[in-house]
Amino acid sequence: MLMFSYAVWRLFEGLYGLKVHQEDPRWKRIVEGYVVPFVSAIVYISFAASSIKAIDEGVDGQGNQSDDQKKKEWTVRVASVVIGQIFLTLISVILFAVALGFLYIIFKRSYQRDLKMDEVERSPISKWAVLITASLGMLGRAILFGSLGILLIRVAWQRQQFTAGFKDALNQWQLNGVGKSVIVIDGILLIIFGLFSLLQARYKNFISDRKNGDPHNSFKGEGESPSSSNRESPKRIESSPV
């Protein structure tokens, strides 16, 4: 349900252009404002559907899946042909690109563009809370998508080793000391991302603010909107000696 809920939110962002920034080039507005939210929604819907399907297929009385059930996993069927291997590789490349995108967001701090930074910076606590939770949380998401990309590539090109598909690759990774550590650390980072989401909900700069030229849309308070200058003009007229 949580994945489906997040997917619906991403669809909402794409439909209403909540990620669109008018100062960006046209191609960037299209990619970040519409393409990325829709692709993200498809990815999360796929994850949720796969999880529901795995639960629906069920297990036997001893809690073990039969061989027929193992063969039902889509990654096994797709990886059984060359075209399927190429398809899984392309998905992995997309996942790697998403992971790099999160690292870029951390480096540029572009998440601040969607926040009312003038309110955030009023308190050092909120300022550092946003910085720390956003950086660590985005890192957790980068690790998550990068790890999924690695596992899909291993399933695609080492399918003889992972006969049960993606879940088999994940289980073997969990048995590895490094893999288990990565999963635990990433889980903690994703919890921190949840905290950032709460802060984001508090300081979110919605599309109505940007359309109306609200000064919250400016990055770190740079620039003023026409509406704000118009509000100041009466003050200048009143102070005029004329």
Coordinates of all heavy atoms in Angstrom, one line a residue, residues 15-18 20-22 34 205-215 217 225-227:
L15 N 1.1 14.9 -13.4 CA -0.1 15.4 -14.0 C -0.2 16.9 -13.8 O -0.6 17.7 -14.7 CB -1.4 14.7 -13.4 CG -1.6 13.3 -13.9 CD1 -2.7 12.7 -13.1 CD2 -1.8 13.2 -15.4
Y16 N 0.2 17.4 -12.7 CA 0.0 18.8 -12.3 C 1.3 19.6 -12.4 O 1.4 20.8 -12.1 CB -0.6 19.0 -10.9 CG -2.0 18.6 -10.9 CD1 -2.4 17.3 -10.5 CD2 -3.0 19.5 -11.2 CE1 -3.7 16.9 -10.5 CE2 -4.4 19.1 -11.1 CZ -4.7 17.8 -10.8 OH -6.0 17.4 -10.8
G17 N 2.4 18.9 -12.9 CA 3.7 19.6 -13.1 C 4.2 20.2 -11.8 O 4.8 21.3 -11.8
L18 N 4.1 19.5 -10.7 CA 4.6 20.0 -9.4 C 6.1 20.2 -9.3 O 6.7 20.9 -8.5 CB 4.1 19.2 -8.2 CG 2.6 19.1 -8.1 CD1 2.3 18.3 -6.8 CD2 2.0 20.4 -8.0
V20 N 7.9 21.2 -12.0 CA 8.3 22.2 -13.0 C 8.8 23.5 -12.5 O 8.1 24.1 -11.6 CB 7.1 22.4 -14.0 CG1 7.5 23.5 -15.0 CG2 6.7 21.1 -14.7
H21 N 10.0 23.9 -12.9 CA 10.5 25.2 -12.5 C 10.6 26.1 -13.8 O 11.4 25.7 -14.7 CB 11.8 25.1 -11.8 CG 11.8 24.4 -10.5 ND1 11.5 25.0 -9.3 CD2 11.9 23.0 -10.2 CE1 11.5 24.1 -8.4 NE2 11.7 22.9 -8.9
Q22 N 9.9 27.2 -13.9 CA 9.9 28.0 -15.1 C 11.2 28.5 -15.5 O 11.4 28.8 -16.7 CB 8.9 29.1 -14.9 CG 7.4 28.6 -14.7 CD 6.9 27.8 -15.8 OE1 7.2 28.0 -17.0 NE2 6.1 26.8 -15.4
Y34 N 7.8 16.0 -15.8 CA 6.8 15.1 -16.3 C 7.4 13.7 -16.5 O 6.8 12.7 -16.0 CB 6.2 15.6 -17.6 CG 5.5 16.9 -17.5 CD1 6.2 18.1 -17.9 CD2 4.3 17.1 -16.9 CE1 5.6 19.3 -17.7 CE2 3.7 18.3 -16.7 CZ 4.4 19.5 -17.2 OH 3.8 20.7 -17.0
N205 N 7.1 23.8 -1.2 CA 6.7 24.9 -2.0 C 5.9 24.4 -3.1 O 6.3 23.9 -4.1 CB 8.0 25.6 -2.6 CG 7.7 26.9 -3.4 OD1 6.6 27.4 -3.2 ND2 8.6 27.3 -4.2
F206 N 4.5 24.6 -3.0 CA 3.6 24.0 -4.0 C 3.5 24.8 -5.2 O 3.9 26.0 -5.3 CB 2.2 23.8 -3.3 CG 2.2 22.7 -2.3 CD1 2.3 22.9 -1.0 CD2 2.1 21.3 -2.7 CE1 2.3 21.9 0.0 CE2 2.1 20.3 -1.8 CZ 2.2 20.6 -0.5
I207 N 2.9 24.2 -6.2 CA 2.8 24.8 -7.6 C 2.1 26.2 -7.5 O 2.4 27.1 -8.3 CB 2.1 23.9 -8.6 CG1 2.3 24.4 -10.0 CG2 0.7 23.6 -8.2 CD1 1.8 23.5 -11.0
S208 N 1.1 26.3 -6.6 CA 0.4 27.6 -6.6 C 1.3 28.7 -6.2 O 1.1 29.8 -6.6 CB -0.8 27.5 -5.6 OG -0.3 27.1 -4.3
D209 N 2.2 28.5 -5.3 CA 3.2 29.5 -4.9 C 4.1 29.9 -6.0 O 4.4 31.1 -6.2 CB 4.1 29.0 -3.7 CG 3.3 28.7 -2.5 OD1 2.3 29.4 -2.3 OD2 3.6 27.7 -1.8
R210 N 4.5 28.9 -6.8 CA 5.4 29.2 -8.0 C 4.7 30.0 -9.1 O 5.2 30.9 -9.7 CB 6.0 28.0 -8.5 CG 6.9 27.2 -7.5 CD 7.9 26.3 -8.2 NE 7.2 25.2 -8.8 CZ 7.0 24.0 -8.3 NH1 7.3 23.8 -7.0 NH2 6.4 23.0 -9.0
K211 N 3.4 29.6 -9.3 CA 2.7 30.2 -10.4 C 2.4 31.7 -10.0 O 2.3 32.5 -10.9 CB 1.4 29.5 -10.6 CG 1.6 28.2 -11.5 CD 0.2 27.6 -11.9 CE 0.4 26.5 -12.9 NZ -0.9 26.0 -13.3
N212 N 2.1 31.9 -8.8 CA 1.8 33.3 -8.3 C 3.0 34.1 -8.1 O 2.9 35.3 -7.6 CB 1.0 33.2 -7.0 CG -0.4 32.6 -7.3 OD1 -0.9 32.7 -8.4 ND2 -0.9 31.9 -6.3
G213 N 4.2 33.6 -8.4 CA 5.4 34.4 -8.2 C 5.8 34.6 -6.8 O 6.4 35.6 -6.4
D214 N 5.5 33.6 -6.0 CA 5.8 33.7 -4.5 C 7.3 33.8 -4.4 O 8.0 33.0 -5.0 CB 5.2 32.5 -3.8 CG 5.2 32.8 -2.3 OD1 6.3 32.6 -1.7 OD2 4.2 33.1 -1.7
P215 N 7.9 34.6 -3.5 CA 9.3 34.7 -3.3 C 9.9 33.4 -2.7 O 11.1 33.3 -2.8 CB 9.5 35.9 -2.4 CG 8.2 36.1 -1.7 CD 7.2 35.6 -2.7
N217 N 9.8 30.7 -4.0 CA 10.4 29.9 -5.1 C 11.8 30.3 -5.4 O 12.5 29.5 -6.1 CB 9.5 30.2 -6.4 CG 10.0 29.3 -7.5 OD1 10.3 28.1 -7.3 ND2 10.0 29.8 -8.7
S225 N 9.9 38.5 -6.6 CA 8.9 38.3 -7.6 C 8.2 39.6 -7.9 O 8.2 40.6 -7.1 CB 7.8 37.3 -7.0 OG 7.2 37.9 -5.9
P226 N 7.5 39.7 -9.0 CA 6.8 41.0 -9.4 C 5.8 41.3 -8.3 O 5.5 42.5 -8.0 CB 6.2 40.6 -10.7 CG 7.0 39.5 -11.3 CD 7.5 38.8 -10.1
S227 N 5.1 40.3 -7.8 CA 4.1 40.5 -6.8 C 4.6 41.2 -5.6 O 4.0 42.1 -5.0 CB 3.3 39.2 -6.5 OG 4.2 38.3 -5.9

